[in-house]
Amino acid sequence: MKIHISWKGINDMYKNKTYIPVFPLASPRLSRRSFIGGSVSLAAALAAGRALGAAEAVREFPSFTAYPFQLGVASGDPSADGFVLWTRLAPQPLAGGGMPPDESVWVHWRVSEDEAMAKVVASGKEVASPDWAHSVHVEVSGLKPDRWYWYEFRAGRETSPRGRTRTLERAERPASETSVLKMAFASCQHYEAGFYTAYEHMLAESPDLVFHLGDYIYEGPERDGGIRRHVGPEIETLEEYRNRHAQYKTDPALQAMHRAAPWVVTWDDHEFDNNCAGDIPEEKGMVGREEFLRRRAAAYQAYYEHMPLRAACIPKGPGMRLYRSVRHGGLIDFHVLDTRQYRTDQPHGDGLKTPGDEVMRPDATMLGQAQREWLLGELERSRARWNVLAQQVMMARVDREMGEGVKCSMDQWPGYEMERRALLKAFLDLRVSNPVVLTGDIHSHWANELIADFDQLDSRVVGTEFVCTSISSNGDGREKPPGHGELIAENPFVKYYGTRRGYVSCTIGEKFWRSDFRTVDFVSRPGSPLNTPASFVVESGVAKMQPA
């Protein structure tokens, strides 16, 4: 298995001053010399760990202190001929994993066409190295397109839970011959705020693909009054990020959903630091840039260690490329974005503000130059029926000031108005087929029509945006929050708004896109029933949405 490192991507980030060439080792506490001048990247460490496969130092039959697959299994980033398989050996999940710090282990894997694992079509073994928290990322290829597979791992005499995953259709297959795709997307699963009941209902729907749009973990310290409690303080070191990811991964509903379908993940802010912007922390002046980037390197490494990501996403110090495309035949292209790592600082001091000169700065960016050029190239080249931006923060400019004047979030796309306008204009100029934006972040459901000019509310609709609420963040919520009617009247392009917890379930075919907003009544205790308070259909070639 080869590791592919895109040095062009690193150079682009360097030119844009969003990346500095620093390569911390596994320890999160380093001298300034080792931080700035290190010459061995984390990618190289992974390559070295895999190279150990030929050495006797890798254990075939280790002695585990407890069951090593307590964090479950997962798959992700499917293609027409394969996918990524993931697991991590962690007999003591909340205590650094509990594996020997100087011992690598062989992990065997196999993929079958049937659940009983009688028709094995691919198999092999990978090294689980302490440098990467004994995590395993297997890139399987050479399989048949558009079909389900089952997989499992074995380490020593222990066997993992069995997972199910699938391939997508070949890109050259026309939309008319590509199967309908059932997709769900979610975000914001604060462990302390409640139970992951929404995933239990998502599991029952049996989606083909799941997108997670950020805030997979929350970095804050344990707090009083939560439904569940974080382990430890606000996380800053590599070990602390590993333990926090492990705590979230122990949730049975989350594990079950990972076992049931492939996931495509991207982060927002809480995987690292709340409301961060590039290399700028939310709390100005509290920490130096080098220390902040050292913490980001730890956060990014732990994120990779716990997600089903390809080698192309291997972090390189405090930089990690997550933007990428996932395709299902000629039906749909998903363009996955990262709106945190490369952005300039939020204008006007962040928060809910009246847009001023800072919002209109032409050099302000959410995407950064390299990612923006990549995205525009993907949209221009795409021949898919549907083009989807899977990303983090709301694109529609929702005015929170009733009556005269405008107030909107500076952390969302309206805080970066020139880039937002340019992207909406590109939908038209590039004749992008059926642009749909998927969004997370704000713990509420929204169905928005994206209009060409938000200062002219009757301007042309150029795309649609569906925003998912949180899985648990902000507690139980309510269906119609205070001021609901006034907000809808102020923003007529908003077709639905609600603040219960849940997710969005989508069915995508050649001629239509259907989004069903799923909600649960409560997350403060288990067992909530599922509701569908709103559903919308978008017809191919017609940007406006209609109630289903």
Side-chain angles (χ1 to χ4, degrees), residues 35 279 281 283-295:
F35 181 64
D279 59 1
E283 298 177 329
K284 308 296 189 291
M286 298 294 290
V287 62
R289 181 170 182 267
E290 289 182 14
E291 184 178 349
F292 192 66
L293 287 174
R294 188 181 297 113
R295 179 184 176 187

Side-chain angles (χ1 to χ4, degrees), residues 13 46 82 127 132 158 166 181 189 201 208 227 246 248 328 353 359 370 377 406 449 542:
M13 287 186 284
L46 178 60
V127 173
W132 293 85
E158 300 286 359
R166 61 164 293 152
L181 189 74
Q189 52 192 39
H201 293 294
D208 296 311
I227 305 303
Y248 278 58
H328 181 51
K353 301 289 176 59
V359 164
V406 173
E449 291 179 340
V542 181

Side-chain angles (χ1 to χ4, degrees), residues 158-179:
E158 300 286 359
T159 302
S160 74
R162 192 165 297 165
R164 186 181 77 152
T165 189
R166 61 164 293 152
T167 54
L168 300 179
E169 186 52 90
R170 296 186 301 271
E172 62 270 18
R173 195 167 186 88
S176 59
E177 299 176 13
T178 301
S179 62

Side-chain angles (χ1 to χ4, degrees), residues 182-457:
K182 293 171 59 181
M183 180 269 294
F185 67 100
S187 69
C188 304
Q189 52 192 39
H190 192 168
Y191 186 85
E192 295 182 306
F195 294 96
Y196 296 169
T197 309
Y199 281 133
E200 298 175 12
H201 293 294
M202 185 188 293
L203 182 68
E205 292 197 52
S206 190
D208 296 311
L209 189 61
V210 176
F211 279 79
H212 197 283
L213 302 181
D215 295 346
Y216 191 97
I217 65 167
Y218 278 67
E219 84 285 15
E222 60 180 339
R223 64 181 188 184
D224 295 330
I227 305 303
R228 303 187 284 187
R229 299 194 69 172
H230 279 157
V231 173
E234 177 163 349
I235 52 178
E236 296 183 357
T237 68
L238 178 56
E239 182 177 6
E240 289 167 349
Y241 277 105
R242 284 171 170 171
N243 287 341
R244 184 62 55 82
H245 274 282
Q247 182 177 25
Y248 278 58
K249 275 289 200 296
T250 59
D251 184 272
L254 180 59
Q255 282 197 17
M257 196 61 246
H258 270 298
R259 287 197 306 270
W263 285 44
V264 178
V265 300
T266 187
W267 54 39
D268 193 12
D269 51 345
H270 286 288
E271 286 87 352
F272 168 37
D273 180 57
N274 181 51
N275 271 34
C276 56
D279 59 1
I280 303 170
E282 177 186 29
E283 298 177 329
K284 308 296 189 291
M286 298 294 290
V287 62
R289 181 170 182 267
E290 289 182 14
E291 184 178 349
F292 192 66
L293 287 174
R294 188 181 297 113
R295 179 184 176 187
R296 193 170 87 174
Y300 284 11
Q301 178 173 348
Y303 186 83
Y304 176 80
E305 290 171 345
H306 291 84
M307 297 295 157
L309 290 166
R310 295 182 180 272
C313 296
I314 292 172
K316 302 162 183 71
M320 179 174 169
R321 175 170 169 167
L322 270 184
Y323 59 88
R324 61 206 190 277
S325 292
V326 176
R327 311 180 199 281
H328 181 51
L331 181 66
I332 187 166
D333 283 353
F334 294 100
H335 310 293
V336 184
L337 305 185
D338 174 357
T339 63
R340 283 292 165 188
Q341 185 176 180
Y342 314 111
R343 68 157 71 184
T344 52
D345 200 8
Q346 292 94 341
H348 303 302
D350 206 352
L352 192 67
K353 301 289 176 59
T354 297
D357 292 343
E358 289 186 45
V359 164
M360 304 302 292
R361 282 175 47 192
D363 61 335
T365 180
M366 186 80 75
L367 300 174
Q369 180 181 348
Q371 181 177 200
R372 182 172 59 251
E373 291 177 356
W374 165 84
L375 175 60
L376 293 176
E378 290 289 281
L379 293 174
E380 185 174 19
R381 289 186 296 270
S382 176
R383 297 296 177 265
R385 183 61 54 89
W386 301 90
N387 276 272
V388 179
L389 307 189
Q391 54 96 58
Q392 295 77 12
V393 293
M394 190 138 76
M395 188 165 289
R397 193 188 76 178
V398 174
D399 181 9
R400 301 293 186 131
E401 179 80 11
M402 302 302 104
E404 296 296 324
V406 173
K407 279 189 177 179
C408 55
S409 171
M410 298 295 100
D411 188 57
Q412 298 171 4
W413 277 94
Y416 303 77
E417 184 64 19
M418 298 306 289
E419 188 173 52
R420 189 181 73 88
R421 290 184 185 184
L423 184 54
L424 293 179
K425 186 174 183 294
F427 289 169
L428 294 175
D429 293 347
L430 300 177
R431 298 182 180 180
V432 177
S433 179
N434 298 315
V436 178
V437 177
L438 306 181
T439 300
D441 177 56
I442 54 175
H443 313 161
S444 47
H445 275 322
W446 300 76
N448 302 323
E449 291 179 340
L450 297 174
I451 56 179
D453 184 353
F454 282 82
D455 289 323
Q456 299 292 329
L457 295 180

